[in-house]
Amino acid sequence: MKVKLFIIFIILNLSVSLVRAQDEVGISVRLDRDTIGLDEQAVLEVVLSGTDQNLPAPQLPTLPMFEVYSQGRSSNISIVNGQINSSISYRYMLLPSKSGVFPIDNISVVYKNKRYKGEPVELTVLDRGVATSPQLEDSAVDTGGKSRDYFLQAVVDKKNPYVGEQVTLTLKFYIAVRYYGQPELQEPSTTGFWTEVLGNSTPYFQKLNNRQYKVIERKYALFPTQTGELTVGQAIITTSVASQTRRRRDPFGLDLDDFFGRGEEVTIRSNPVSLNVKPLPTEGRPADFTGTIGNFGIVATPDKTSVEVNQPVTVTIKINGTGNIKSVAEPIIPDLSDFRIYKASSNEKTAILGEEMGGTKIYEEVFIPRKPGSLEIPSLGFNFFDPKSSRYRTLKTKPITINVRQAEGYAVSPDVPYGQSGVVIGKDATDIRFIKTDIGELTPQGRLVILTPLYLFVNGLFVAVFAGLLVWRLRREKLSGDIGYARSRQASKMAHKRLARARSLVRVDKAGKFYAEISLALLAYIADKLNISPHGLTSDRVVELLQEKKADESLVRDTVNLLRQCDFARFAPASVKQADIDRALEEARQIMVKMEGVRFV
Amino acid sequence: MSKPFLITLSFLLILSCSSGVPVADIDSNFQQANQLFQDKEYAQAISSYQNILDKGTESAPLYFNLGNAYFKDGDLGRAILYYLKAQRLDPSDNDITANLEFARQFTSIQMEGVKLNPISTFFESLVGPYRLNTLAWLSSFFFILFFILLSLRYGFGFKNGPLRVGTTVVLILLLVSSWMTSFKYRHDYLTQRAVIVAEECPVYSGPYEQSDIELEAAPGLVVEILAESGEYYNVLFENKRRGWIKKDLIAAI
């Protein structure tokens, strides 16, 4: 048992180390230019790639003919299908000290005890700058023979391209004086071209007429869309440069312009460039040529090669390479009796490969086999014009064989018109269900209940009924509510008026009238408070009403006593004394005060 | 109630119920078309069913039988179109659902990669089995009940616990049923859906003949019409792909 486990352990270990051994390190070496002048410099780039994110730095051989400065590193990590790929790029600046042809070999990296070597490259150093053609040196000098501080050059890599062939336009901005901020560029007009910006290169220095210029390059890919004479217009750079003429200096000798970053605003124009665009040759042009120009490859891959009848196979046709990817036409698919063919999708991705535009175009076509057996999707043709070799080329994909099985399941009834080749379906039905014999409920076409007048009427009716009821109820409540409220509010005011009149009669000789007034005031007050008619209101009825409204018992008793006293006094005024009159007035007042505090509902 | 009011009411009732075509006539036409179908004269059956439709009436069985006739005649796109029309009128009919599913198996491209929104799928399954008219009358019923209860409470001043609870319950039922009605209405009628009926149907990237062909659609696929421009509809496929299709290649449900 233990031995077995041990063996498994060893096998596992081995397999792990085998997997490890597979992850290799790629190393590529590149120079930005292969020929430089003695007073120029080249940039050497070493790119390491692998699955490990911690790759060691490359080892450079001794380069006695150059001064080597490291320009730092940049890394890039990508994850594709769970696989981590990391690439690290190291940049070195090489300054030559001697002219000649120098091979740069033996750049290597040691990873996991293995040495990986890069391809050798060669750098030619000339006595005088390569790019310093007499023409360029001329443009560095103005008409007066004075050296220019700055100038802008437009250069194309070919003057005589084919229509649709890429022309690389390079804008070079030379500047020998200090400038402030980011120079602003107005792109050149490129009518008659399809234009794509390739990007800016890192600035470098170049000596012209013994003056050190900083050079900033910007590259464009131009695709002529018509033949004949075409012109790339002027590019304009606006920037602010250190003024040479008017330089302010303060008394302490500090350069104020430099210090504050001010300068003179200048506009720099490039030279227009003319091109003569050739038409494509007629000789050797395939009959089905669609106008694709560049250099491409084509691959067709099916997503599966073994399917059941009527199951789709998606074939991905991938065309990639350099050239105007937008001009790539769909490959011609012949009519095939064995398949039904549908176009599923297409998409394109442009990419910049070095200085060339390129990209990938992907077409997806769905092939649905009609019958079982070994069916073949024949090779698909694709042609294009290759401007580099000035020839038309035709590529063909490999034929794809698809193994088509008869599906398992129920065969469709022969009555179904779609089952020509024995379509099989998974359901337990072999045909549609039979027609209905009853026509069912017939309605006018497109009629919806929610839009019929009846529906709206029925629903609206009840809203109207409710609204009517509500209005009626509110009106009734308002009317009854308002009178009662008004009367009860007026009650104490009226009563006080009456009491005041009674007070003026507080004399024995007018006792009859006094008591009548008191009685009236009290009854009217109660009637108003209760919102009832004061007519025919007797003391007995008052008791009843007050008890009904749940008034305080002592209040009821006092009220009734006073009313009785009033009645008695009105009919026998002679027996009334002045003290009785005063007390009655006081009592009436107190009853009203008490009643004021009672809420009669 | 006043006399003009009663007249208006009866007029509205008549207006909403009558179809204007003698039913007996239609029924005999329908039976004739059915006989043609049984005799496997599918093309003739189609024109007979269409004649009935031309009179301005519709019914679920009529659309269903027409769909069957198209299916047997080899026109998958229109078969699916009429099954869908039938299903909209009667979503609970098993025969319609079965034939629709059966026919859809023959659409040469099955839409893959369909990502359905779980919430809207849930709502669709909720309202799916009901007809729009049923839902409309149901919400109307709760609406009327709600207003009767409101009238009792505010119009006549009845106030008690059960009435208050009853009003709340009816209000909730009303909200649920009217929401279902509006969902169904939006889903079935306001969203313009169409079926591809042409045998070959290129889907363009723009509403012009010169536009790139994005893909080719197969008859029987259902699309949603989003916009129109000239002779083209902008359509959304069930797998969420978009494109422009010539108007005469599709038929609205």
Side-chain angles (χ1 to χ4, degrees), chain B residues 8-220:
Chain B
T8 320
L9 181 61
S10 47
F11 174 73
L12 283 170
L13 280 169
I14 291 162
L15 193 77
S16 54
C17 294
S18 72
S19 60
V21 182
V23 176
D25 212 18
I26 287 175
D27 199 49
S28 75
N29 288 349
F30 183 67
Q31 298 309 336
Q32 275 169 24
N34 284 356
Q35 189 56 50
L36 286 167
F37 183 93
Q38 287 183 37
D39 298 341
K40 302 197 173 176
E41 299 287 349
Y42 300 123
Q44 285 182 49
I46 288 169
S47 66
S48 298
Y49 288 127
Q50 286 286 11
N51 279 341
I52 302 173
L53 284 177
D54 289 345
K55 288 173 183 161
T57 55
E58 63 180 2
S59 81
L62 182 58
Y63 283 138
F64 174 76
N65 288 7
L66 181 56
N68 280 355
Y70 271 121
F71 184 84
K72 290 287 185 182
D73 199 40
D75 190 338
L76 191 62
R78 286 192 179 80
I80 288 173
L81 169 74
Y82 285 102
Y83 287 147
L84 285 168
K85 278 181 185 247
Q87 195 179 46
R88 190 166 66 181
L89 289 184
D90 192 354
S92 54
D93 191 305
N94 282 333
D95 290 341
I96 297 171
T97 315
N99 280 9
L100 180 60
E101 268 181 29
F102 188 82
R104 279 190 149 175
Q105 293 179 94
F106 296 94
T107 52
S108 33
I109 297 175
Q110 304 291 333
M111 280 289 162
E112 281 174 41
V114 187
K115 244 190 210 159
L116 294 170
N117 178 351
I119 296 168
S120 65
T121 314
F122 170 72
F123 288 148
E124 273 166 35
S125 68
L126 206 65
V127 299
Y130 307 104
R131 298 181 196 203
L132 177 62
N133 285 2
T134 313
L135 288 173
W137 281 122
L138 190 72
S139 50
S140 169
F141 171 73
F142 287 126
F143 184 77
I144 289 165
L145 200 59
F146 178 66
F147 272 96
I148 288 173
L149 291 175
L150 278 189
S151 303
L152 284 179
R153 196 165 155 189
Y154 295 105
F156 295 105
F158 287 102
K159 277 192 183 75
N160 56 35
L163 185 69
R164 198 175 305 150
V165 174
T167 314
T168 315
V169 170
V170 169
L171 177 63
I172 291 168
L173 289 170
L174 168 64
L175 289 176
V176 170
S177 63
S178 43
W179 179 83
M180 281 169 81
T181 310
S182 77
F183 184 88
K184 184 90 177 167
Y185 180 60
R186 263 180 294 143
H187 184 263
D188 282 9
Y189 291 90
L190 290 190
T191 319
Q192 239 192 319
R193 292 191 304 156
V195 181
I196 290 161
V197 292
E199 270 305 311
E200 284 186 1
C201 181
V203 182
Y204 295 94
S205 60
Y208 313 101
E209 191 108 42
Q210 300 88 335
S211 310
D212 288 343
I213 295 178
E214 288 269 303
L215 63 151
E216 259 171 60

Side-chain angles (χ1 to χ4, degrees), chain A residues 343 431 433 439 445 447 455, chain B residues 16 53 59 72 99 136 213:
Chain A
K343 185 179 170 181
D431 200 348
R433 296 199 188 172
I439 195 164
Q445 269 169 30
R447 196 198 61 152
Y455 187 81
Chain B
S16 54
L53 284 177
S59 81
K72 290 287 185 182
N99 280 9
I213 295 178

Side-chain angles (χ1 to χ4, degrees), chain A residues 465-482:
Chain A
V465 165
F466 171 70
L469 269 174
L470 207 61
V471 167
W472 171 71
R473 170 108 201 270
L474 282 177
R475 267 186 68 181
R476 202 190 55 180
E477 273 185 358
K478 207 174 167 195
L479 273 177
S480 60
D482 271 8

Side-chain angles (χ1 to χ4, degrees), chain A residues 322-336:
Chain A
T322 55
N324 184 354
I325 198 75
K326 288 192 165 76
S327 73
V328 170
E330 193 176 354
I332 304 126
I333 298 170
D335 267 341
L336 303 173

